[in-house]
Amino acid sequence: MKTKSFLEAADVDRMLDAAVAEATTNNWAVTIAIVDEGGHLLALRRLDGCAPIGAHICVEKARSSALGRRETKGYEEMINNGRTAFLSAPAQGFLEGGVPVVVDGHVVGAVGVSGVKSDQDAQVAKAGIAAL
């Protein structure tokens, strides 16, 4: 049997704090979600000024990234390049800004961010992950 890492509460707090710091440094009003490998919500933080819809979108980005084991940017590019049938897939977070957390080659969760431009959302997510 193989063993696998998993996110602990301290890891989640560290990632969330780093993502908030990145957003705050850039004066970006975003919402940040962190999920486990199954897409289950572990943390959510909506910064002042972020639209309420961000809380829904960032969770879906994180969930899609965790379950798909890839950045959601790939899904957005796929759709933009003409594979619009993918829009009928059951997940909803097909915009850039969902980034998987990979430890020892295994996806152990994901960070999803919503509120600014998609590449900026991804920047905040990656800053959170880098804190691990």
Side-chain angles (χ1 to χ4, degrees), residues 10-73:
D11 301 322
V12 173
D13 291 343
R14 191 168 39 255
M15 286 192 299
L16 189 58
D17 290 344
V20 168
E22 179 71 17
T24 302
T25 297
N26 289 290
N27 204 27
W28 293 335
V30 298
T31 304
I32 303 155
I34 301 174
V35 300
D36 67 12
E37 66 179 304
H40 306 284
L41 188 63
L42 298 174
L44 179 80
R45 172 94 42 91
R46 185 167 62 140
L47 302 184
D48 293 341
C50 186
I53 191 72
H56 176 75
I57 295 170
C58 72
V59 172
E60 291 304 319
K61 286 181 180 184
R63 184 173 287 131
S64 293
S65 180
L67 295 175
R69 298 180 176 160
R70 64 170 70 187
E71 286 194 44
T72 54
K73 177 182 181 178

Side-chain angles (χ1 to χ4, degrees), residues 59-107:
V59 172
E60 291 304 319
K61 286 181 180 184
R63 184 173 287 131
S64 293
S65 180
L67 295 175
R69 298 180 176 160
R70 64 170 70 187
E71 286 194 44
T72 54
K73 177 182 181 178
Y75 297 126
E76 183 175 4
E77 290 172 347
M78 183 185 339
I79 293 164
N80 288 342
N81 289 328
R83 192 168 177 205
T84 56
F86 197 75
L87 289 170
S88 65
Q92 298 176 356
F94 297 140
L95 301 171
E96 183 177 4
V99 181
V101 179
V102 181
V103 177
D104 297 328
H106 297 281
V107 173

